[in-house]
Amino acid sequence: MDYEELRDFMVRTQFIPRGIQDERVLAAMRKVPRHLFVDESIRYRAYEDIAIPIGEGQTISQPYMVAVMTELLELKGKERVLEVGTGSGYQAAILAELSRDVYTIERFEKLAKEAEEKFRALGYDNIHAKAGDGTLGWPENAPFDRIIITAGTPKVPEPLIAQLAEDGIVVAPVGERFSQQLIKVKKSERGLSEEYHTMCVFVPLVGKYGWDRE
Ligand code: SAM
């Protein structure tokens, strides 16, 4: 299969017609080999408009959702980004193409380990990964210019707001268990402001400041 061609087709048919405009985001999504972040048996579907199971009951998000969330982060190239919910590692790789350093946390050890192996194999030495409860953030490396939560949460966890730099942005799916809305929170000297975007459905953020169970 010509994966490069499939990626270009994905960008032209799934992202551009639905309003993704940031050329840097489109270029990163044309570049990162999403098929290497899913099981070999399902690689042929890697560039379709779907979420795909990755084990432990979790999924790699629909590519369009990755594009939307990444665009909302307004990355220019020098940011330190925290991702909560490493999953397959695909979103972290996209972020690593567009920012200086990516810190990513995954609740399941097995997924965290597999993602780290992929980062190493693909040469992403600006991604720092660990297993743990991402709702607590990563205080040793705070503050972060950008924070992205890739699991559905009842609210943006307080420790993450505390670890956000001034002029920072958080993007997260916030709402009910089986239905959320993407929210973009900006922190400025005047306080926090919120913008609401598309509806979405993510697996739950399970942790001290998220849901208390699957
Ligand atoms: N960003 C991922 C990717 O590119 O494949 C997709 C993430 S998947 C939709 C959500 C992930 O969040 C799952 O792997 C899940 O285990 C993880 N997760 C849920 N709660 C978490 C928590 N408290 N801390 C860290 N990861 C968490």
Side-chain angles (χ1 to χ4, degrees), residues 58-178:
Q58 308 304 316
T59 53
I60 177 174
S61 306
Q62 177 199 12
Y64 170 66
M65 202 45 70
V66 174
V68 170
M69 293 179 86
T70 307
E71 185 169 65
L72 287 173
L73 286 173
E74 298 177 26
L75 296 166
K76 303 288 181 246
K78 294 196 171 148
E79 300 82 1
R80 290 157 50 78
V81 184
L82 174 68
E83 179 194 27
V84 177
T86 315
S88 68
Y90 175 66
Q91 171 79 73
I94 294 285
L95 298 170
E97 293 285 342
L98 298 169
S99 63
R100 180 173 295 159
D101 278 296
V102 179
Y103 296 84
T104 183
I105 310 174
E106 169 55 48
R107 174 174 162 242
F108 288 102
E109 291 259 1
K110 179 172 178 280
L111 296 180
K113 199 164 154 269
E114 287 170 359
E116 257 196 289
E117 282 163 14
K118 287 173 214 152
F119 301 146
R120 258 203 307 275
L122 292 168
Y124 285 112
D125 53 12
N126 61 337
I127 305 181
H128 317 276
K130 74 167 183 178
D133 178 3
T135 70
L136 304 172
W138 198 332
E140 304 88 316
N141 292 302
F144 300 100
D145 304 303
R146 302 288 186 267
I147 298 179
I148 176 171
I149 305 174
T150 63
T153 177
K155 58 179 174 13
V156 177
E158 281 146 33
L160 301 185
I161 295 287
Q163 291 171 37
L164 184 65
E166 196 167 308
D167 297 323
I169 296 174
V170 180
V171 173
V174 174
E176 306 299 322
R177 194 103 189 163
F178 298 105

Side-chain angles (χ1 to χ4, degrees), residues 17-54:
R18 283 192 267 184
I20 305 294
Q21 292 181 337
D22 185 329
E23 284 299 335
R24 294 182 72 241
V25 173
L26 297 174
M29 302 219 42
R30 276 195 174 98
K31 180 175 174 192
V32 176
R34 188 171 194 263
H35 62 283
L36 299 182
F37 291 85
V38 298
D39 189 75
E40 223 171 324
S41 61
I42 198 154
R43 275 187 188 161
Y44 70 103
R45 302 200 64 184
Y47 298 100
E48 291 182 23
D49 190 19
I50 50 171
I52 296 175
I54 55 170

